[in-house]
Amino acid sequence: SAIKEFGEALKLDKKIAFAHYQTGKIYQKRENLEKAISEFKETVEIDNSFLWAHYRLAVIYKKIGNEELSKIEFEIYNSLKEEAEDFKE
């Protein structure tokens, strides 16, 4: 399974932000939000500029009713998105 494959990658290098992100997406799709949050938090701890991990954290926090953390993550997401758009120009 994909989780097993990403798990194998993480055994080799626990600092692979992308593998944590992909694992989080799988958990989110399966509605295992606690594990999804854990993986997305690990992603941004490794790479705080990982735009989509902040977005997914914001969405999950909103879904579980944590408006404060959702707002913080959306603010980070929007800030990073603006920076990325500025970089393109």
Side-chain angles (χ1 to χ4, degrees):
S1 78
I3 288 180
K4 184 177 178 181
E5 290 177 25
F6 289 123
E8 291 299 318
L10 290 170
K11 283 180 188 175
L12 298 173
D13 184 353
K14 294 206 181 281
K15 297 295 184 191
I16 301 173
F18 184 74
H20 284 287
Y21 176 73
Q22 292 298 332
T23 303
K25 283 176 48 179
I26 294 165
Y27 284 129
Q28 184 180 15
K29 185 174 183 174
R30 293 181 179 176
E31 293 293 318
N32 189 335
L33 301 183
E34 186 176 311
K35 285 188 177 182
I37 288 170
S38 177
E39 292 296 333
F40 293 137
K41 285 174 72 174
E42 186 69 28
T43 302
V44 299
E45 285 177 20
I46 296 167
D47 180 1
N48 194 46
S49 67
F50 207 115
L51 174 81
W52 293 107
H54 287 289
Y55 176 80
R56 288 181 178 272
L57 280 168
V59 169
I60 293 171
Y61 286 139
K62 186 167 185 72
K63 184 173 186 169
I64 64 174
N66 192 329
E67 294 293 329
E68 183 177 339
L69 286 178
S70 178
K71 182 180 177 188
I72 290 168
E73 291 297 334
F74 270 126
E75 287 173 357
I76 295 169
Y77 164 77
N78 286 324
S79 175
L80 291 170
K81 186 177 176 199
E82 285 176 18
E83 287 175 22
E85 289 170 356
D86 288 345
F87 183 72
K88 288 182 192 176
E89 296 179 352

